[in-house]
Amino acid sequence: MAEAEAEAAFLSSMQAMNENNGSYEVSGGPSEQQIDSSSDEYDPAQDVQDFSQSSSLPVFNPVSSVDFRKNDVLSPPSSRPLSSLPSTHGVTSGPISENSSFPQSTSMKVNDQETLSTVPSGLRNIDGVNATEKGAEISLSSNNHTHLSREGASLQNSAPDPSAANDVSTESTESPLTIDTTGADGSILHPTDYVLQPSGSVPTATANNPPGGPTTNSSPSPISAMPKARLPHDKIGILEDRIKEDEKGDLDAWLSLIAEHRRRGKLDDARKVYQRFFAIFPSAAEQWIAYIQMENEAQNRSAVEVIFNNTLMQIPNVQLWSAYLDHIRRHYNVTTDMSGNARKIIIQAYDLALKHVGIDKESGKLWQDCIQFHKSGPGTLGGSSWQDQQKMDLLRKTYQSAVCVPTQAVESLWREYNAFEMGLNKMTGRKFLQDQSPAHMTARSSNTELHNITRDLKRTTLPVLPPALGFDGDVEYTKQVEIWKRWIQWEKDDPLVLKQDDLAAYKDRIVFVYKQALMALRFWPEMWFEAAEFCFNNDLDVEGNDFLNQGISANPESCLLAFKRADRLELSTSSEDGDEGLIKKGVIVREPYDKVLDALYDLVDKTNAREAREIARIESQYADANPDRPNGTKAEEDDQDFEGDSTNQAEQRKKQQIDNVKNLNSLHNRLIQKTLSHAWIALMRAIRRVQGKGKVNAPIGGSRQILTDARKRGRIMSDIWVAAALLEFHMGEGEAAKRIFERGAKLYPEDEGFALEYIKHLLANNDHTNARVVFETTVGRLAQKPGTLPKAKSLYAFFHAFESGHGELSQVIKLEKRIGDLFPEDPRLASFSQRFLYEGFDPTAIRLILSPGTQARTKIMPSVEAPSVHNSPPNNYVQPTYSPKRPLPFEESDTEMSRPRKIVRGESPLKGAAGRRLDQQKRSRLPNEMANYEGHSNDRIVHPPLLPREVLFLLSIVPNASTYHATKLKPTELVRVIRDLNIPERTDLFKHPLPLQEVQREYPQMASGQYN
């Protein structure tokens, strides 16, 4: 009771807080944006709404975004049953029952026919759930008396008062809440096992009460664009909001929500989240394994079998099949089973696993486990009984299959196979080994190549959305795509030499790699397309159609996959005679196009909703940063100027951020609308091939019906009008094409692209007069606004080229003058030369060669000699070095001067006392040598250049350092590296360059001729 009283006090305080703060705004997306009737995309059908039933009551759904009405079995990725999997419900083998299901959830059912708008937010979000405790009974004083119970319970008002519809209870603080957290059976109930259902609220449309029905009295409700902030401890609610906002991208929210439910012990809720998760990521094998582990911990054997039945044939993952084998071996104890049926079932399970994932490069452990299980069976290797022979044959067959597959364990398997054969019979063993050796060597070398190809590959079954080009992660993602493509191409090159001997195995390996790649690249449509194309080109139509269907399910907004699927349907669907056949084929062909169009329209709505949320977030952020005083007054008078400046700056920053959000979403929406228009164009062309031009609102609508449908749905651009007009023109309907162009010109008066195509069409039909009229009308309208003036440049450029080729010179000059006045930044020479440009060749820009001897002389490379330096020594000067070597002779002769310069060898390091004495002698001898060289004294000596002439030549041709924009060499770092270079201490690595006799005479201690 103490806990119940504390909870009641907490709820009372939350209710009072909400009364002070005002009414609760339910989270949700913005209302649909109405299309302005003055816009080009206006369609009256989209504005038909019944506003007579409008109401200001906010609709509240107590179960956020989870549909707890569905307690059915986890939806399988495929409807095909797994009939070949061994069962675990008995000792006999057989398929897992398709009627097996998860334990029915004990959570509540939601009644969508009633909504609650008056429950304070404090009653809705407690510790991440949407009500108080499970089975709680809440009594509200005043006009409302509320009862809560288990499934199907409703909130009954003993004395409903319409005036209190918008305010739950103005006297709720006088009568405390009484909460009973005990169920009918005496157990403590959980908050998610009941719902709040008002009997006097406004009913909403449901499946049983559709919109427009006789009992429907629904009305649109205002929905806040920015949901009210959740409490920090409401982890589940926060994670649900993140998932609702980005269900494909926020993987961390999915995994955290599942972990949170499991941490709280709410396995039913975790199962529901898993069901929603696998609807988006059906091939996430790691999460399927985690799901299996959860059910195993709960001792839910039937649920585990349903999971295996739904996933194994669809997800060729080694870890998932290993979990299945562990499950089989756990429930079939070969030690206690004296009949031998358990061993047979386990062997069947191993055969099934190796058949589906045995060719994976990571399946070596699976092969080894299978062999070890065979070895543990009855029988003795080398025996003469039938059981011994059977065991030997089974092991030999498994070994021979394993050593031919390029896996990480192929070498160890070969060694085991070698020992196995030689241990039975050396004579026959050599024969078997000799027969399998070529295939094994091929598999061994292939495994090395495959390891090098996939060295940087990150094999995962949890896909992520591909980053946009130029943003974080795009390079890494593209690298992974390239690695997968290299692996697939390696398989297509047939390194295992299977194409001639076993074509089916060759195709199976390539399809297997495609499936592995698509687990990680689920949201990369090009990979789905390539996989389907390979299957269609190799007589694997069933697999190709599966790839297309799964790819469209993963990427519903992909035009690539939708168009490919539509082409396949158009080619494979037979044409029946009569109108019924045309109508039927048109429906079949149109299905993929309708799916991609629906997905794109939904994407537009999501983009607009995201924009509204971002704007609401920015406004809320600045509202919280600059709150008014409680009494509604501002700062003191002496601070009014400062506060005014700060407020203006904050308003400017807020406006700039809002404008940035709007501009970004405008660009995104424009790209989506462009894609939408071209999807409609593709549909129009496909229906024209199937049904012809047709008639609007007729059973056979044809291509004309597509234009009408596109106008009704809106959000299209002028491209579809151009395509429709040209389609009519090429079908011989010139007048219809003209009317479509005229209608498009009225809808898109400032679209330069549409005007350009219209002008081209008129010129192609020799209607020069109307072409000039359209040109003048469009450029005149664009030139009136400075913002639209740059759009007219393309029209001027095209019409200038046309007038230059087919018009009068006076018209050309006038047009060039207009272009120069409107665009003074463009050079006049460019406009003049454009007159004579034909097929990319400009004769005015050509410079002909008149004198080859003068204009076409070969360039002479500069000399490699070093530049002369004033008062420098002659070229045969050699800089003295600190070395025991004899100096080069200085002989002033032409022969010596003409010889190539000799490169002085580096000094040899010396250790010990000999090195120190030699260094001291050189230091004392150097000034005298420099002073006596060529008769120069110390005060007149001029040092020669320290760099060789080749280096000086290189420096002369290297561009200036200012021209480099990349990373530059840091000389200080280079000097530091050279300084810290570790020189070997072993002096015997260096051979002394001087003759042995001379070294022994100068250094008696080096009698051996080597450094000590």
Side-chain angles (χ1 to χ4, degrees), residues 316 318 357-364 405-408 459 512 516:
V318 175
V357 296
I359 59 177
D360 194 289
K361 73 184 190 69
E362 305 293 338
S363 63
V405 179
T407 63
Q408 75 277 20
R459 294 190 66 179
F512 178 83
Q516 298 297 313

Side-chain angles (χ1 to χ4, degrees), residues 620-739:
S620 175
Q621 177 182 358
Y622 279 92
D624 295 340
N626 300 287
D628 294 342
R629 292 184 178 273
N631 57 2
T633 59
K634 298 293 183 181
E636 299 295 336
E637 294 183 358
D638 53 352
D639 295 335
Q640 286 184 353
D641 295 338
F642 175 76
E643 292 290 342
D645 296 340
S646 177
T647 303
N648 293 335
Q649 293 178 1
E651 288 294 330
Q652 292 177 0
R653 290 195 300 269
K654 182 179 75 172
K655 184 177 181 302
Q656 182 179 4
Q657 293 182 14
I658 293 176
D659 291 341
N660 292 338
V661 172
K662 290 182 177 180
N663 293 335
L664 181 61
N665 284 277
S666 176
L667 293 175
H668 192 198
N669 274 336
R670 184 172 179 82
L671 179 61
I672 300 175
Q673 291 176 6
K674 190 81 171 178
T675 308
L676 269 171
S677 301
H678 283 265
W680 281 111
I681 292 172
L683 175 58
M684 183 188 303
R685 293 171 178 172
I687 295 299
R688 196 274 309 167
R689 293 192 298 266
V690 176
Q691 298 180 348
K693 59 185 178 182
K695 186 178 180 180
V696 179
N697 298 327
I700 303 178
S703 60
R704 293 179 177 177
Q705 183 64 45
I706 304 303
L707 180 61
T708 303
D709 295 343
R711 288 188 59 193
K712 289 181 180 179
R713 298 196 68 174
R715 303 186 188 280
I716 57 175
M717 304 183 72
S718 62
D719 300 350
I720 189 173
W721 291 89
V722 175
L726 295 179
L727 197 62
E728 292 284 349
F729 176 76
H730 290 293
M731 287 190 298
E733 299 291 340
E735 289 299 324
K738 181 179 179 181
R739 289 195 298 269

Side-chain angles (χ1 to χ4, degrees), residues 955-1004:
L955 295 177
S956 66
I957 63 176
V958 171
N960 195 291
S962 60
T963 61
Y964 288 91
H965 301 287
T967 304
K968 298 180 180 180
L969 176 65
K970 296 181 179 180
T972 55
E973 294 296 326
L974 180 60
V975 172
R976 183 184 62 79
V977 172
I978 297 175
R979 181 191 62 198
D980 299 339
L981 186 63
N982 185 16
I983 300 177
E985 296 293 338
R986 292 180 57 191
T987 56
D988 57 343
L989 298 177
F990 303 95
K991 185 177 180 181
H992 204 283
L994 297 180
L996 182 59
Q997 297 79 4
E998 204 169 315
V999 173
Q1000 292 176 350
R1001 182 173 59 255
E1002 187 171 357
Y1003 305 103

Side-chain angles (χ1 to χ4, degrees), residues 433-555:
L433 293 173
Q434 185 178 3
D435 293 340
Q436 297 297 322
S437 180
H440 165 69
M441 295 304 297
T442 303
R444 182 177 177 181
S445 60
S446 299
N447 179 58
T448 304
E449 296 177 9
L450 188 58
H451 175 73
N452 294 332
I453 292 174
T454 61
R455 181 174 300 164
D456 298 327
L457 182 64
K458 298 178 181 178
R459 294 190 66 179
T460 179
T461 61
L462 192 60
V464 296
L465 290 171
L469 294 179
F471 291 85
D472 182 39
D474 63 327
V475 176
E476 293 79 4
Y477 193 92
T478 305
K479 182 180 179 181
Q480 294 298 309
V481 174
E482 294 299 327
I483 294 175
W484 280 112
K485 288 183 177 180
R486 288 203 301 268
W487 186 357
I488 294 171
Q489 186 59 44
W490 181 82
E491 293 286 353
K492 290 181 179 180
D493 293 339
D494 193 20
L496 298 177
V497 196
L498 298 174
K499 197 171 185 179
Q500 299 296 332
D501 300 334
D502 194 351
L503 183 60
Y506 167 77
K507 296 178 182 179
D508 290 342
R509 287 191 62 89
I510 297 176
V511 172
F512 178 83
V513 179
Y514 268 121
K515 290 181 179 180
Q516 298 297 313
L518 290 171
M519 291 182 191
L521 307 178
R522 179 173 178 81
F523 303 119
W524 190 258
E526 288 83 351
M527 189 62 70
W528 291 101
F529 178 86
E530 293 178 6
E533 193 71 14
F534 171 81
C535 293
F536 292 140
N537 294 335
N538 290 273
D539 300 328
L540 301 173
D541 293 345
V542 176
E543 290 80 358
N545 290 326
D546 288 342
F547 277 128
L548 280 181
N549 292 331
Q550 295 178 27
I552 291 174
S553 176
N555 306 275

Side-chain angles (χ1 to χ4, degrees), residues 210-280:
T215 61
T216 301
N217 190 21
S218 62
S219 59
S221 302
I223 300 177
S224 175
M226 183 67 181
K228 202 165 186 177
R230 294 183 181 269
L231 297 176
H233 68 273
D234 186 8
K235 296 181 180 179
I236 293 180
I238 294 173
L239 293 173
E240 288 285 3
D241 290 341
R242 288 173 55 185
I243 293 173
K244 184 178 180 181
E245 184 176 351
D246 188 9
E247 61 180 8
K248 284 188 177 182
D250 201 345
L251 294 175
D252 293 337
W254 282 108
L255 302 181
S256 300
L257 180 60
I258 295 172
E260 184 67 20
H261 282 310
R262 294 185 62 179
R263 185 184 66 82
R264 299 185 180 189
K266 299 159 59 176
L267 298 186
D268 290 337
D269 293 339
R271 292 187 184 102
K272 293 170 184 176
V273 177
Y274 267 125
Q275 184 174 356
R276 294 159 49 200
F277 175 82
F278 291 127
I280 303 174

